[in-house]
């Protein structure tokens, strides 16, 4: 018999109360965080005992609970804390972990090999290649990037044997999830650590040169409207999405119940009649806006790549609140305790133990009490039995049917029936939960409890310099500097013919030449760059580009966006075929030493990317440059740089990478670690990278020479007036 297709309404549970509201409103599963390692650190995440209670609660009602462990873990957290945090929830039968960190992934697969893993949306999976890599690494499900179209989701479903979970309702981040460092670099609160400060919800002025844009509806340029996928629900399910994910772990139980109840309604309709012949009622969309309104809804990226219609340019309008709606939600879901129907059978016969059985579905539990006696006066009646046995009170059950087998002239005390009932409820509860519970298979308590022979790095006495240049003039200045040993050429800014020309120059100058692949890869075409055979290697920036690792004739470097916060993550990448990783931008000196820097490259200069977005500031303020996927020899990132200015008058450059149709918002000040180079070199760092975005050729040469002098311990007389040391000394929460 063909297995029935999974269609799941997946609800947020930022608290125990929200979890109960979701189950009551019809959710098939909830996702929830504990007090550690979840991407919503400011939600009312339950303590471990309460989390274990939540796991039992959903299982008693035939639902699932997925635990969010979707932050990046520092070395001490993974090696000393994670196992003890996960072990009890594993034993309780948590249905899956949602994971971002490659190190967490590797450790969990070793500790708990039968525990399902879901690849978090923070892993930025945008296509078939990334989905296949996740499947290869043992994922049973991927939570796709919110930016994918229905066609892209369908393509993954058709080509990769993996479950697809997609967001259908709630807040949209301006940045691709997992690719945002804005909150971290601007305020020290890392979104990758669950502590996003909501920087994209603040006002910004937009400038081009000395001219300010004033032809927009407001200044909240990065503030996206909430997603509402009701109109696209049928298409999503037809495309192969199996889990419809509602965002909102920071929202109230009322919000959770209201949104879940509507998506439950339309999923049930889809199951009955399919995707045709119906559409979401207007009143239901009004209902959703009454629950939360950020300036209206959009249908997200399901049918468009980006657009102004998705941005709420003003602040969220204030609503007094709909008292009647709140009361309705309270009565239907919040105050109503969900009960599961069970069947019972009780046998009372003289001189035999009284036996009570409760059953739910295929699960049956029986208990026995004392023996029934001959009645001396009034015998026990069937009504007496039913009255006592049907008092299930605060248990999760309600008796749908009770068979009473009662012999004549028997007596059994009411207190005995009450105790029997309580024991039967407890026995049924334990029998149901026993089908979910597990036993630990390992005694190890840390991530470093096993050596990995695949983790081999190249040692170096003194690091060398690499450069990444975005303009040809920068390239020609850098390639002629003796201190530079490697050049990264980003394919997002150079066309194919120009790349071939620059690769040739690298050869002539005796420099290693690597291609830096796009930050986001959405094409389904094979990687054409591997056919050139003229480069020494590739800088990979996302999971979709892992398919290139099958090439054996060159080296691969993992960029900082393939996060290696801990030794386990480094093992995962080196074991997969990388020759070098890039040190994370959010760790301080001590944390970098703990994870190890031997065999790592480190970015020591340049404007750091703070957001990578499918949205386009240029298009939303003016018009599209019409250069998407241009392969011209002189293709450039943009015609002019737009700046966003915040309340502190800091200016953040925004560049359009039209060939792959995404924006990058850069930090207002370049990273400047020249003064730290002796310390960085002493850490065992293999290579030092300087990244140039808007510098002129003379400035490029000067900066390279300053860094060469700093590494050699010589004096230098230049540093930019506007600069930052990033997280090297301070670190991030």
């Amino acid at each position: 018999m063909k297995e029935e297709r999974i269609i799941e309404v997946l609800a947020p549970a930022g608290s125990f109360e929200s979890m109960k509201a979701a189950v009551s409103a019809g959710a098939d599963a909830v996702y929830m965080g504990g007090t550690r390692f979840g991407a919503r650190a400011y939600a009312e995440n339950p303590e471990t005992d309460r989390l274990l209670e939540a796991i039992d609660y959903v299982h008693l009602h035939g639902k699932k609970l997925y635990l969010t462990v979707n932050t990046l873990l520092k070395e001490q957290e993974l090696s000393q804390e994670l196992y003890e945090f996960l072990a009890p929830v594993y034993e309780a039968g948590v249905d899956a972990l949602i994971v971002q960190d490659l190190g967490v992934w590797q450790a969990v697969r070793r500790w708990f090999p039968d525990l399902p893993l879901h690849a978090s949306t923070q892993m930025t999976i945008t296509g078939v290649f990334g989905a296949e890599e996740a499947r290869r690494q043992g994922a049973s499900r991927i939570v796709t990037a919110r930016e994918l179209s229905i066609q892209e989701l369908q393509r993954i479903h058709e080509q990769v044997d993996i479950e697809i979970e997609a967001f259908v309702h709630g807040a949209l981040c301006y940045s691709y999830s997992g690719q945002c460092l804005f909150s971290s670099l601007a305020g020290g609160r890392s979104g990758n650590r669950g502590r996003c400060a909501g920087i994209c919800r603040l006002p910004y002025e937009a400038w081009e040169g000395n001219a300010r844009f004033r032809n927009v509806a407001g200044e909240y340029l990065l503030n996206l409207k909430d997603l509402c996928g009701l109109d696209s629900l049928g298409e999503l399910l037809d495309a192969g999405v199996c889990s419809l994910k509602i965002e909102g772990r920071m929202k109230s139980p009322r919000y959770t119940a209201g949104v879940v109840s509507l998506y439950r309604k339309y999923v049930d309709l889809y199951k009955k009649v399919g995707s045709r012949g119906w559409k979401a009622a207007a009143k239901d969309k009004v209902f959703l806006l009454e629950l939360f309104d950020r300036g209206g809804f959009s249908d997200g990226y399901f049918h468009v790549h980006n657009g102004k219609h998705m941005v709420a340019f003003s602040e969220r309008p204030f609503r007094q609140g709909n008292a009647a709606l709140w009361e309705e939600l309270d009565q239907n879901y919040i105050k109503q305790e969900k009960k599961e129907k069970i069947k019972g059978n009780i046998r009372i016969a003289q001189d035999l133990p009284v036996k009570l059985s409760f059953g739910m579905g295929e699960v049956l539990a029986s208990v026995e009490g004392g023996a029934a006696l001959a009645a001396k006066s009034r015998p026990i009646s069937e009504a007496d039995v039913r009255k006592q046995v049907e008092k299930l009170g605060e248990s999760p059950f309600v008796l749908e049917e009770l068979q009473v087998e009662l012999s004549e002239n028997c007596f059994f005390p009411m207190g005995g029936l009450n105790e029997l009932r309580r024991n039967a409820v407890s026995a049924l509860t334990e029998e149901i939960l026993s089908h979910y519970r597990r036993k630990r298979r390992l005694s190890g308590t840390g991530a470093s409890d096993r050596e990995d022979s695949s983790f081999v790095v190249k040692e170096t006495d003194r690091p060398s310099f690499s450069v990444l240049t975005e303009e040809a003039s920068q390239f020609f200045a850098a390639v002629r500097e003796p201190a530079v040993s490697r050049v990264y050429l980003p394919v997002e800014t150079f066309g194919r013919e120009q790349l071939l020309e620059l690769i040739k120059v690298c050869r002539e100058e005796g420099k290693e030449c690597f291609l830096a692949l796009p930050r986001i890869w959405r094409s389904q075409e094979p990687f054409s760059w591997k056919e050139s055979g003229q480069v020494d290697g590739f800088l990979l920036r996302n999971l979709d580009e892992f398919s290139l690792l099958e090439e054996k004739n060159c080296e691969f470097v993992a960029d900082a966006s393939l996060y290696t916060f801990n030794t386990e993550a480094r093992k995962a990448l080196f074991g997969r075929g990388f020759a070098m990783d890039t040190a994370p931008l959010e760790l301080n000196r001590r944390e970098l030493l703990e994870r190890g820097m031997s065999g790592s490259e480190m970015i020591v200069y340049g404007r750091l990317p703070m957001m990578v977005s499918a949205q386009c500031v240029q298009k939303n303020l003016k018009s599209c440059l019409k250069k998407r996927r241009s392969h011209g020899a002189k293709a450039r990132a943009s015609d002019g740089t737009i700046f966003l200015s915040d309340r502190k008058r800091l200016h953040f450059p925004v560049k359009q990478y039209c060939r792959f149709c995404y924006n990058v918002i850069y930090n207002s000040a370049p990273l400047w670690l020249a003064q730290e180079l002796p310390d960085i070199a002493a850490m065992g760092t293999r290579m030092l990278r300087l990244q140039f975005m808007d510098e002129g050729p003379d400035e490029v040469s000067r900066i390279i020479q300053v860094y060469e002098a700093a590494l050699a311990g010589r004096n230098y007389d230049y540093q930019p007036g506007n600069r930052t040391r990033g997280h090297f000394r301070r670190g991030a929460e």
Side-chain angles (χ1 to χ4, degrees):
M1 181 180 295
K2 187 176 180 180
E3 185 176 348
E4 184 179 355
R5 178 190 169 192
I6 297 172
I7 299 180
E8 177 182 87
V9 176
L10 177 57
S15 67
F16 193 88
E17 291 70 24
S18 289
M19 177 276 299
K20 292 178 66 176
V23 172
S24 182
D28 298 296
V30 299
Y31 61 102
M32 196 172 197
T35 55
R36 304 294 309 278
F37 315 129
R40 290 294 181 268
Y42 302 119
E44 297 177 25
N45 300 307
E47 297 288 342
T48 298
D49 288 348
R50 198 67 162 156
L51 180 59
L52 299 180
E53 186 180 346
I55 294 171
D56 287 349
Y57 185 92
V58 298
H59 287 163
L60 286 172
H61 293 289
K63 312 302 181 185
K64 295 182 178 181
L65 188 146
Y66 307 136
L67 181 65
T68 58
V69 191
N70 54 344
T71 58
L72 301 176
L73 271 63
K74 298 176 183 179
E75 183 67 27
Q76 295 297 316
E77 294 170 330
L78 196 153
S79 63
Q80 298 182 18
E81 302 172 29
L82 181 62
Y83 181 87
E84 293 303 326
F85 171 74
L86 291 179
V89 297
Y90 169 80
E91 292 175 325
V94 68
D95 294 280
L97 301 185
I98 304 173
V99 175
Q100 174 191 11
D101 191 312
L102 293 171
V104 172
W105 193 284
Q106 177 154 299
V108 169
R109 288 188 67 197
R110 185 168 73 249
W111 296 333
F112 313 113
D114 58 336
L115 180 55
L117 294 177
H118 295 176
S120 170
T121 190
Q122 297 283 117
M123 296 185 84
T124 325
I125 295 174
T126 59
V128 169
F129 298 126
E132 176 58 32
E133 181 62 29
R135 187 203 64 77
R136 178 174 180 168
Q137 294 297 321
S140 60
R141 176 183 293 187
I142 57 170
V143 188
T144 51
R146 291 173 173 88
E147 290 77 5
L148 297 194
S149 68
I150 289 175
Q151 289 74 21
E152 288 172 307
L153 292 167
Q154 183 170 358
R155 194 175 296 123
I156 293 173
H157 172 66
E158 291 172 346
Q159 297 186 35
V160 185
D161 183 19
I162 199 166
E163 293 179 2
I164 298 174
E165 179 180 307
F167 282 90
V168 294
H169 194 90
L172 287 173
C173 298
Y174 190 84
S175 174
Y176 282 93
S177 291
Q179 302 301 313
C180 181
L181 300 179
F182 210 146
S183 176
S184 172
L185 292 171
R189 288 168 51 178
S190 171
N192 283 314
R193 303 263 300 155
R195 293 166 172 81
C196 174
I199 298 292
C200 56
R201 305 301 181 190
L202 300 177
Y204 295 89
E205 295 176 354
W207 297 76
E208 188 171 28
N210 294 321
R212 179 186 170 191
F213 288 95
R214 298 182 182 274
N215 61 337
V216 293
E219 295 182 344
Y220 291 79
L221 306 177
L222 311 181
N223 182 31
L224 295 188
K225 299 175 184 178
D226 275 15
L227 167 66
C228 178
L230 279 184
D231 287 334
S232 301
L233 188 146
E235 293 177 87
L236 286 165
L237 293 173
D238 284 350
V241 172
C242 73
S243 181
L244 303 170
K245 188 167 194 171
I246 298 165
E247 185 277 338
R249 279 191 287 150
M250 300 289 287
K251 304 281 199 334
S252 69
R254 287 169 173 167
Y255 172 89
T256 301
V259 177
V260 168
S261 67
L262 269 190
Y263 279 86
R264 176 79 272 154
K265 168 184 171 181
Y266 285 104
V267 166
D268 289 345
L269 181 60
Y270 175 88
K271 288 181 176 180
K272 289 181 180 178
V273 301
S275 60
R276 300 182 183 277
W278 62 271
K279 63 179 182 179
K283 66 180 180 63
D284 288 336
K285 298 175 190 176
V286 172
F287 172 87
L288 291 172
L289 283 173
E290 291 284 348
L291 293 172
F292 189 85
D293 183 2
R294 205 189 297 273
F297 287 133
S298 80
D299 62 353
Y301 299 91
F302 294 142
H303 301 99
V304 295
H305 189 83
N306 53 35
K308 183 190 296 187
H309 70 285
M310 298 173 64
V311 184
F313 287 99
S314 58
E315 288 186 273
R316 176 171 62 88
F318 176 77
R319 286 180 177 267
Q320 185 67 36
N322 186 329
L325 176 59
W326 302 154
E327 179 62 25
E328 177 186 346
L329 292 170
D330 285 347
Q331 292 301 319
N332 291 341
Y333 306 115
I334 309 301
K335 296 178 181 178
Q336 280 282 10
E337 200 65 39
K338 185 173 177 60
K339 303 286 187 179
E340 298 299 323
K341 294 179 180 179
I342 64 174
K343 295 181 179 181
N345 178 278
I346 186 167
R347 184 196 66 195
I348 303 176
Q350 186 175 328
D351 299 327
L352 292 177
V354 176
K355 183 177 181 180
L356 175 61
S357 300
F358 282 157
M360 190 175 79
E362 300 297 320
V363 181
L364 180 67
S366 299
V367 295
E368 291 185 348
L373 304 175
K376 294 182 179 180
S377 54
R378 177 180 175 271
I380 190 171
S381 68
E382 181 174 332
D384 294 331
V385 174
R386 290 187 178 278
K387 181 179 178 180
Q388 298 308 120
V389 175
E390 290 174 356
K391 288 181 180 178
L392 296 185
E394 296 182 359
S395 80
F397 308 119
V398 60
L399 263 174
E400 179 184 31
E401 176 185 319
L402 177 63
Q403 293 181 349
V404 179
E405 301 176 26
L406 178 60
S407 299
E408 294 182 358
N409 202 37
C410 283
F411 171 77
F412 195 76
M414 295 300 102
L417 285 177
N418 290 339
E419 182 180 6
L420 200 63
R421 182 195 66 237
R422 290 191 295 268
N423 291 342
V425 167
S426 179
L428 179 61
T429 298
E430 289 304 308
E431 185 63 26
I432 293 170
L433 296 179
S434 69
H435 293 275
Y436 296 94
R437 288 177 175 158
R438 311 180 182 95
K439 292 184 179 180
R440 302 189 204 186
R441 297 186 179 183
L442 297 176
S443 59
T445 58
S448 302
D449 54 358
R450 188 188 74 172
E451 294 296 325
D452 191 337
S453 59
S454 66
F455 187 43
V456 178
V457 297
K458 293 183 179 180
E459 300 290 344
T460 180
D461 295 328
R462 173 188 167 101
S464 56
F465 286 103
S466 65
V467 297
L468 187 149
T469 61
E470 294 206 2
E471 301 291 344
S473 60
Q474 297 170 345
F475 165 82
F476 284 110
V479 78
R480 295 187 177 112
E481 288 294 332
V484 173
S485 63
R486 176 181 295 179
V487 177
Y488 293 108
L489 297 174
V491 301
E492 59 196 356
T493 58
F494 296 117
R496 180 177 175 80
E497 295 304 317
Q498 193 173 20
L499 280 173
L500 293 175
E501 174 189 340
L502 300 183
I503 292 168
K504 182 180 178 181
V505 173
C506 275
R507 293 293 185 200
E508 293 170 351
E509 295 290 338
K511 312 294 186 184
E512 288 185 318
C513 186
F514 279 57
L515 296 188
L517 299 191
R519 299 181 188 278
I520 301 295
W521 173 250
R522 299 273 292 273
S523 173
Q524 297 307 308
E525 302 171 4
F527 289 96
S528 58
W529 307 290
K530 67 184 179 183
E531 299 169 1
S532 66
Q534 302 177 64
V535 294
D536 298 288
F538 295 90
L539 180 68
L540 306 190
R541 290 164 152 176
N542 56 67
L543 209 63
D544 285 85
E545 293 164 356
F546 273 47
S547 65
L548 269 178
L549 293 169
E550 304 309 315
E551 298 295 307
K552 304 298 184 185
N553 58 343
C554 55
E555 285 193 1
F556 297 95
V557 177
D559 206 356
S561 53
L562 289 169
Y563 301 105
T564 51
F565 265 49
N566 47 70
T567 305
E568 286 287 334
R570 299 192 71 207
K571 288 180 181 180
L573 289 183
F574 281 87
R576 188 65 180 85
F578 284 89
M580 188 163 62
D581 68 317
T582 304
L585 299 169
E586 297 184 276
L587 297 183
N588 61 29
R589 177 186 177 279
R590 175 182 57 79
E591 292 160 348
L592 289 170
L593 280 170
E594 288 174 352
R595 72 177 280 281
M597 287 296 292
S598 179
S600 288
E601 183 169 22
M602 184 168 176
I603 300 170
V604 294
Y605 172 81
R607 289 186 186 268
L608 299 179
M610 302 181 78
M611 277 189 177
V612 181
S613 178
Q615 287 294 322
C616 181
V617 174
Q618 162 79 29
K619 178 181 177 181
N620 290 346
L621 294 177
K622 296 172 67 177
S623 62
C624 179
L625 294 175
K626 305 295 183 183
K627 290 185 176 182
R628 187 175 182 187
R629 302 197 181 284
S630 169
H631 291 267
K634 300 298 182 182
R636 291 169 57 88
S638 66
D639 283 350
T641 300
I642 294 174
F643 292 87
L644 299 182
S645 176
D646 69 1
R647 296 170 298 176
K648 299 178 181 178
R649 295 301 174 193
L650 298 176
H651 282 60
F652 303 95
V654 184
K655 294 193 74 171
Q656 294 76 242
Y657 294 94
C658 297
R659 182 174 177 184
F660 299 96
C661 201
Y662 57 78
N663 273 198
V664 177
I665 301 175
Y666 287 93
N667 201 0
S668 60
L671 180 70
W672 181 265
L673 293 177
Q675 71 278 17
E676 307 285 359
L677 285 198
D679 197 6
I680 293 172
M683 295 163 65
T685 310
R686 179 180 165 193
M687 188 165 280
L688 307 171
R689 190 194 309 170
L690 294 81
Q691 298 190 160
F692 299 100
M693 190 269 286
D694 56 1
E695 295 84 353
D698 291 341
E699 189 176 7
V700 168
S701 296
R702 188 176 191 182
I703 290 170
I704 293 172
Q705 291 164 15
V706 165
Y707 269 77
E708 181 185 17
L711 181 62
R714 302 195 305 271
N715 293 329
Y716 54 90
D717 59 359
Y718 171 80
Q719 60 184 9
N722 186 27
R723 62 189 183 275
T724 176
R725 287 195 293 185
H727 286 299
F728 187 72
R729 290 296 175 184
R730 67 173 182 174
E733 290 185 48

